[in-house]
Each structure stands twice: as C-alpha cells, then as structure tokens.
C-alpha cells in the first residue's frame, strides 16, 4: 500500500507549513480521505504514528475524515455523490460514471503553537 | 519523552504559547504531481512519447516488451524497469538490444515521478523516440502516481479472472488501452471473456481492449498499430 508514501508527503508538508507560519509545533491536524481513493485510514494512521516522532508534529493528534466522491453521468450528464466506483447514476441508472472528486487524500487543516 | 530526565517535548515551550488553527486543503499527491508535470513538460519539449505499463505481478509486462521491441527496430527506444528488487527485467530487455535502466524501489510498491527523473540521468533521452516504463507489479498503488507519461497501458492476463476491473477500478479507469494477455491459454481456462468485457465497460465505457499473446505473438501487430497511432500526437509539434 502507498500509505507510507502519503505520510512522507504529509510530514514534508507539515514541516514546510510550520516553517512558513512560524509554528513551534503542530498539535493537531485533519486529513480527508476520498471515498474512491483506496487509501486505508487504519494504515494511514498507523504509518503517521510510526513516523511522527522527531518531527514538528511529534505529539500531534491526527483526525481523519472521509470526503464523499462525486461523479458525472455520461448519459444524463448530471453530477451526484459516489460512495463507490460501481455506484450507478442515481437519476438514470447508467454505469461508468466520470469521477470528479474523491480519489484524493488532502491535508485540510492544522492546529499549531507559536 | 526524553530519555535523560523524563521531560515531555512540550515542557520546553512557554505556557503562554498561543494556539492557532490554519485552514489548508492541500493534496498529499501534490508533491508527486508537481514532479510529474515537470517530467511531462520535459518529454513534450523532446517530443518523446512515454508509455507507463502497469499490471499485477506476472501478467506479462516484460514479456509484452520483449514481444514489442523487435517490431520497433526503426525507432530508438529505451525502457525504465521498476521492481522491488533484482535487475532481472532490465537484463531481459537488454537482450533485445534496447537500453534499459533498472530502478529498485526496495520497499516501495510503485514508481513515483521523482524516481523517473533520477533514472532519466542514465539515458541519452535527447536521442530517444519512444520510452517505456514498466511499473512495479501491483494493480493498486501505481494508479495513484502520475509519472508524467503520455499513455497508460494496463496488462491484464486472462488467467487473473474476469473480476479484476471491478476489484481494482482505479487502474482500469485511467487506462488508455488494456492488453488482454495470455490469450494462448484460453482453451485451458474457465474465464468468461464476455463478463470480463462487461466488467471493464462498467468502470470505463470507452476502454480500448486488445487481446494478445506475448508468448505466441497473436495480436501483437494490432497492438503495435494502436501504439503507433496513439504516440503520433506526442511526436508531432
Ligand atoms: N502462456 C503465456 N505465458 C506468458 C505470456 N506472457 C507472459 N507469460 C509468462 O508469464 C510469466 C510472467 O511474465 P513476465 O513478463 O515476467 O511478467 P511481468 O508482468 O513482467 O512480471 P513482474 O515484472 O514480476 O511484475 C512468465 O513466465 C512469462 O513467460 C503469454 O502471453 N502466454
Ligand atoms: Mg516484469
């Protein structure tokens, strides 16, 4: 799984943000995981907790929220939420929707001390 | 906690430290995406089409390359090989007379854009006309990491069963073409090809599927034709 790569990118981002915002340390952060991303929240948390030591987010509390995916129907062109890749269009029942959102993992916010 | 006196890190900070909430919303794939965009710009400048080959371990990526490269003798090709370990695949490619660079990812389950940037240093890329990248055998992670490639080719061996597109949708959603490999084994299998096509269409209605056998050469000409056509828009100005 690529959760470890994502956590490495996350820690790089936390370090550079802390520097830019002049924070001494980060105490909490929120990450959103798209419902279509195939990222395991358990693995993400495990990797984060294994790697956070010795970083600016050493004692930070990680909150993971889920971001509902969105897709556009190729038949009726309407957009609707998509919990799963196989969800058909809720309006016309068509499969094979174009994914617009929900494949990503994003750092949404941090809490830090000056 | 510190090993000398047992103090906690936050004991060092003044109690008056002010806490602040900062809203961000940054993709964790941003870092890779930036490098991929850089790679893509470099390939575009050189008018070099780059093909990212992906599949589960053992579907036949290297075998497909071995069957493909002899048909492309008129082009200057090179291959970047990604595996957790060993140089075996690069050695197999070199036997076809094509330059190959092996990347060993160690524990990494996918190639990323930076590893491609590094591998390019070992190739005379200005002289190349077509670059193949064989990704680490894995139907999940490589799908999330753009390398800056022009085309995504997914190899699916029919021995893997008809349900793979449903189980690993990301990979098939982004594929420019799916090579249905090991067709020579069809008489020995119970796989239902109609179901396989239906499952693919559920994920990607526009999927292009080419049945081939890298072993016998069946369908390879059609694949070369597709490749020649698809790379054209990356070689012209
Ligand atoms: N019968 C048959 N065997 C094939 C075909 N293509 C590949 N194979 C065999 O499948 C096995 C795996 O092929 P490789 O080319 O090494 O597969 P790969 O996808 O490169 O494997 P990794 O790089 O380890 O992920 C080898 O024993 C090949 O000879 C085919 O079309 N028909
Ligand atoms: Mg291989």
């Amino acid at each position: 799984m690529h959760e470890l790569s994502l956590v490495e990118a996350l820690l790089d981002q936390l370090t550079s943000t802390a520097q830019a915002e002049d924070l001494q340390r980060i105490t909490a952060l929120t990450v959103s995981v798209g419902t279509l991303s195939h990222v395991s929240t358990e693995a993400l948390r495990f990797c984060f907790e294994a790697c956070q030591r010795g970083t600016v987010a050493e004692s930070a509390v990680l909150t993971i929220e889920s971001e509902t995916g969105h897709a556009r129907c190729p038949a009726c062109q309407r957009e609707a939420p998509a919990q799963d890749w196989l969800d058909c269009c809720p309006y016309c029942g068509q499969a094979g929707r174009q994914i617009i959102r929900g494949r990503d993992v994003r750092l949404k916010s941090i809490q830090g001390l000056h | 906690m510190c090993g000398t006196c047992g103090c906690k890190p936050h004991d060092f900070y003044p109690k008056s430290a002010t806490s602040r909430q900062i809203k961000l919303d940054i993709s964790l794939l941003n870092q890779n995406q930036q490098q991929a965009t850089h790679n893509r710009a470099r390939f575009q400048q050189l008018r070099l089409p780059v093909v990212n080959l992906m599949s589960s371990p053992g579907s036949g990526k290297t075998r497909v390359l071995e069957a493909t490269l002899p048909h492309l003798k008129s082009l200057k090709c090179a291959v970047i090989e990604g595996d957790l370990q060993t140089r075996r695949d690069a050695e197999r490619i070199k036997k076809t007379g094509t330059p190959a660079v092996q990347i060993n990812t160690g524990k990494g389950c996918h190639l990323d854009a930076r590893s491609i940037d590094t591998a390019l240093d070992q190739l005379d890329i200005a002289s190349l006309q077509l670059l193949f990248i064989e990704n680490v055998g894995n139907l999940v992670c490589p799908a999330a990491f753009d390398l800056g490639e022009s085309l995504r080719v997914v190899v699916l061996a029919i021995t893997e069963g008809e349900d793979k597109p449903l189980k690993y949708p990301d990979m098939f959603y982004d594929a420019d073409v799916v090579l249905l490999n090991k067709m020579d084994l069809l008489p020995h299998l119970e796989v239902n090809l109609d179901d396989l096509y239906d499952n693919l269409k559920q994920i990607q209605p526009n999927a292009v599927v080419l049945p081939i056998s890298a072993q016998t050469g069946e369908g390879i000409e059609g694949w070369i034709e597709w490749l020649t056509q698809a790379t054209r828009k990356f070689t012209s100005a």
Side-chain angles (χ1 to χ4, degrees), chain A residues 11 25-26 48-49 52-61, chain B residues 1 9:
Chain A
L11 289 170
R25 65 196 176 97
I26 291 170
F48 180 74
E49 288 170 0
Q52 73 185 132
R53 183 184 280 197
T55 73
V56 69
E58 164 127 30
S59 47
V61 178
Chain B
M1 200 188 284

Side-chain angles (χ1 to χ4, degrees), chain B residues 55-64 66 81-83 89 92 134-138 155 181-185 212-217:
Chain B
S55 82
S56 330
S59 308
K61 297 178 294 301
T62 311
R63 193 73 192 81
V64 166
E66 288 169 322
E81 282 289 347
D83 281 297
D89 281 2
R92 280 170 66 184
E134 180 182 333
N135 218 309
V136 177
N138 179 341
V155 181
N181 193 29
K182 308 199 185 182
M183 283 299 287
D184 54 296
L185 299 178
I212 64 164
S213 164
Q215 182 102 345
T216 66

Side-chain angles (χ1 to χ4, degrees), chain B residues 109-123:
Chain B
C109 50
H110 57 271
L111 293 177
D112 62 17
R114 190 168 302 277
S115 65
I116 298 304
D117 183 56
T118 308
L120 290 177
D121 292 343
Q122 297 175 56
L123 289 168

